Amino acid sequence: MVSNRCVLFLESLPFLQSKDVTMVIGEVGGAVTIPCTSDLCENHLVFMYVQRPGSNGNNPRFINGYHTNKRLYPKEYTNRTHVDPRQRTMKLWSILPSDEGLYECHIQYQTKKKQENIQLNVTANYSIPIVTVACDNVSCLVTCSSDSGYPRRDIEWSPNPPLNQSHWRVVNSSDVTDPVSMLFSVFSSISVNCSSGPRLNLSCAVGGALSQEHTVCEY
């Protein structure tokens, strides 16, 4: 008979589990729980270590852990992680883009060992895009920009009514990464041929953030 403690754990953590890797998603600045195992009915935990593998599988980096016979001293993650040996989890907060990647949980019971792999994907919501419009007698240059997002996303344009691709073209697309926060700012500019028809409403979107509609070719 499975105890209530086992059932509650399985229902309380939102994650996707494939054959070999458990996927979890965390937002920049927020917190996430790394589930090292769903098998809470296994008793006599000796230790649980969470680490990140190095390049080519060498020089793994210790994150945090638990040991029944000694105290562990994580360095880099001392003030950003907490291990719960009863739930077999590690909480990570103040998430950074650099936290994204693979985590390995090494668990030792009295009678067996286990390793679980967890992939943390980090996201950050982009700001509401800002649109600027500059027109002359024959065309309009429309620019869309958005910042503080992660990972990098492409800007998508939505003309209303829909335009044939021959009536507008992308003239520039670029991005900049903040060297401190590692968040992205993205930019896109399009040229609209105003001789193709009546005025047009344009909006742009990036990573789920949608701009206001702007009217071009009003002459």
Side-chain angles (χ1 to χ4, degrees):
M1 182 176 182
V2 179
S3 69
N4 290 334
R5 185 165 67 93
C6 301
V7 175
L8 286 174
F9 173 80
L10 291 172
E11 293 178 351
S12 63
L13 290 178
F15 58 86
L16 299 175
Q17 189 154 16
S18 65
K19 182 179 179 181
D20 299 314
V21 180
T22 298
M23 309 290 292
V24 294
I25 298 175
E27 188 172 341
V28 170
V32 69
T33 298
I34 304 293
C36 280
T37 180
S38 59
D39 182 13
L40 294 183
C41 300
E42 181 70 44
N43 295 319
H44 308 298
L45 177 66
V46 178
F47 67 74
M48 181 182 83
Y49 294 159
V50 182
Q51 66 183 33
R52 297 188 66 177
S55 59
N56 300 320
N58 297 321
N59 301 318
R61 181 165 43 150
F62 176 68
I63 306 300
N64 206 339
Y66 163 83
H67 197 291
T68 55
N69 297 324
K70 61 182 178 180
R71 186 175 180 180
L72 303 178
Y73 295 94
K75 296 180 180 180
E76 180 182 352
Y77 291 83
T78 301
N79 298 319
R80 293 207 296 131
T81 57
H82 173 73
V83 170
D84 184 341
R86 296 186 62 189
Q87 295 289 338
R88 318 285 203 266
T89 62
M90 184 188 76
K91 187 172 183 179
L92 169 67
W93 57 86
S94 299
I95 294 174
L96 304 170
S98 58
D99 292 325
E100 184 170 77
L102 184 67
Y103 290 75
E104 297 175 349
C105 291
H106 295 268
I107 302 174
Q108 173 70 64
Y109 300 104
Q110 283 189 350
T111 58
K112 66 178 181 179
K113 295 181 180 179
K114 290 187 67 175
Q115 177 179 334
E116 301 285 347
N117 296 322
I118 298 92
Q119 172 68 34
L120 171 61
N121 294 329
V122 175
T123 66
N125 294 327
Y126 280 85
S127 64
I128 299 299
I130 297 174
V131 176
T132 60
V133 180
C135 297
D136 56 25
N137 292 329
V138 294
S139 65
C140 288
L141 181 67
V142 188
T143 300
C144 175
S145 62
S146 178
D147 54 29
S148 300
Y150 191 88
R152 186 198 178 282
R153 304 285 189 189
D154 290 325
I155 290 177
E156 298 180 354
W157 290 94
S158 298
N160 182 25
L163 277 183
N164 189 290
Q165 188 69 41
S166 63
H167 295 153
W168 66 282
R169 62 186 177 88
V170 176
V171 296
N172 180 49
S173 291
S174 60
D175 63 82
V176 176
T177 306
D178 185 287
V180 177
S181 69
M182 301 304 294
L183 300 180
F184 287 92
S185 297
V186 291
F187 310 87
S188 179
S189 296
I190 63 172
S191 178
V192 181
N193 181 1
C194 291
S195 63
S196 61
R199 69 179 187 176
L200 178 73
N201 293 323
L202 272 175
S203 63
C204 62
V206 54
L210 178 66
S211 75
Q212 293 182 338
E213 276 196 340
H214 289 256
T215 302
V216 300
C217 301
E218 294 188 84
Y219 42 84

